[in-house]
Amino acid sequence: DIQMTQSPSTLSASVGDRVTITCRASQSISTWLAWYQQKPGQAPNLLIYKASDLESGVPSRFSGSGSGTEFTLTISSLQPDDFATYYCQQYNFYSQGTFGQGTKVEIK
Amino acid sequence: QITLKESGPTLVKPTQTLTLTCTFSGFSLSTSGVGVGWIRQPPGKALEWLALIYWNDDKRYSPSLKTRLTITKDTSKNQVVLTMTNIDPVDTATYYCAHSKAGHWYFDLWGRGTLVTVSS
């Protein structure tokens, strides 16, 4: 089974900060990685797919990069609406998907 | 416009079988490449991928839950059903269903989720 490990678990930041979240896969997943944002009481919302493709309607301050086993989600300038929990997910047609354990972005 | 809605019991007793239904609109599960999956989230914890069914009836299950899960589809009713046997209090969670668009296997659209509590 492919395991996904996110770091950090919690991140304290201020409005305007550049924020980076890392996701590591236990084996190579090429670029089959998605990022989601989840706010309390809401379903997750897709931000990034195929490691770096921005989902339609998602602000351009969100970006993703990486391939193989190491990936990053970057928020270029943190906005008040961005305080939430972020999850990475590996996916492929041939086996089950796996989520990371989440990174909570808090107000500093 | 694609929508998904989860339905099922809110309270289940330990050892019972849980049956959840995802009713969707705006797409067909007979369209090549499309899938519908189930994900759960215990209170205050992370997302857990459970199962996914594809347009061609191909199915994927979480290895740790595979013996307890069954996912089926009824294309004519636009529904996907997840059953989980031998329910335990640790299965208390919000259960989400989500759409996986053709040729992609991430979840681009989610239902609002349904909270299932397991308690005697």
Side-chain angles (χ1 to χ4, degrees):
Chain A
D1 303 352
I2 301 175
Q3 308 300 321
M4 306 301 293
T5 304
Q6 287 183 235
S7 61
S9 297
T10 306
L11 187 159
S12 296
S14 302
V15 173
D17 284 353
R18 182 181 181 89
V19 167
T20 299
I21 298 168
T22 298
C23 180
R24 289 187 173 86
S26 59
Q27 64 188 73
S28 178
I29 57 170
S30 183
T31 55
W32 302 119
L33 186 99
W35 290 97
Y36 303 87
Q37 177 193 67
Q38 187 181 33
K39 297 178 181 178
Q42 297 184 17
N45 182 49
L46 177 68
L47 300 175
I48 302 280
Y49 61 93
K50 209 175 177 187
S52 61
D53 288 351
L54 193 67
E55 174 70 350
S56 176
V58 173
S60 58
R61 63 180 180 272
F62 291 92
S63 64
S65 65
S67 65
T69 61
E70 188 149 339
F71 303 85
T72 58
L73 173 70
T74 299
I75 310 172
S76 60
S77 178
L78 198 66
Q79 298 302 300
D81 193 47
D82 301 337
F83 292 98
T85 300
Y86 294 84
Y87 294 93
C88 63
Q89 183 217 343
Q90 66 85 14
Y91 60 89
N92 68 88
F93 179 79
Y94 300 103
S95 67
Q96 81 286 356
T98 316
F99 289 94
Q101 81 276 21
T103 295
K104 186 176 183 179
V105 177
E106 298 181 327
I107 300 173
K108 190 171 184 179
Chain B
Q1 180 190 3
I2 290 175
T3 64
L4 305 102
K5 186 174 183 179
E6 306 86 353
S7 60
T10 58
L11 181 64
V12 182
K13 288 181 166 43
T15 75
Q16 288 186 336
T17 294
L18 170 66
T19 299
L20 295 171
T21 301
C22 177
T23 303
F24 56 85
S25 63
F27 69 96
S28 172
L29 202 37
S30 60
T31 299
S32 180
V34 172
V36 171
W38 284 94
I39 306 97
R40 72 178 179 181
Q41 185 172 39
K45 296 189 176 181
L47 301 168
E48 181 180 14
W49 194 102
L50 297 178
L52 193 151
I53 189 165
Y54 292 103
W55 83 103
N56 60 357
D57 212 36
D58 228 348
K59 300 164 188 178
R60 305 285 182 265
Y61 293 101
S62 165
S64 62
L65 292 167
K66 185 173 184 176
T67 59
R68 299 174 53 208
L69 294 176
T70 303
I71 189 169
T72 59
K73 63 180 175 70
D74 186 329
T75 305
S76 64
K77 292 184 179 179
N78 281 351
Q79 290 182 333
V80 170
V81 174
L82 181 75
T83 60
M84 180 181 291
T85 60
N86 195 24
I87 285 288
D88 184 89
V90 301
D91 297 313
T92 294
T94 296
Y95 287 76
Y96 297 99
C97 65
H99 170 265
S100 178
K101 65 182 179 182
H104 304 269
W105 309 294
Y106 52 83
F107 299 117
D108 61 332
L109 291 161
W110 297 57
R112 298 180 70 174
T114 185
L115 176 61
V116 177
T117 301
V118 182
S119 174
S120 55

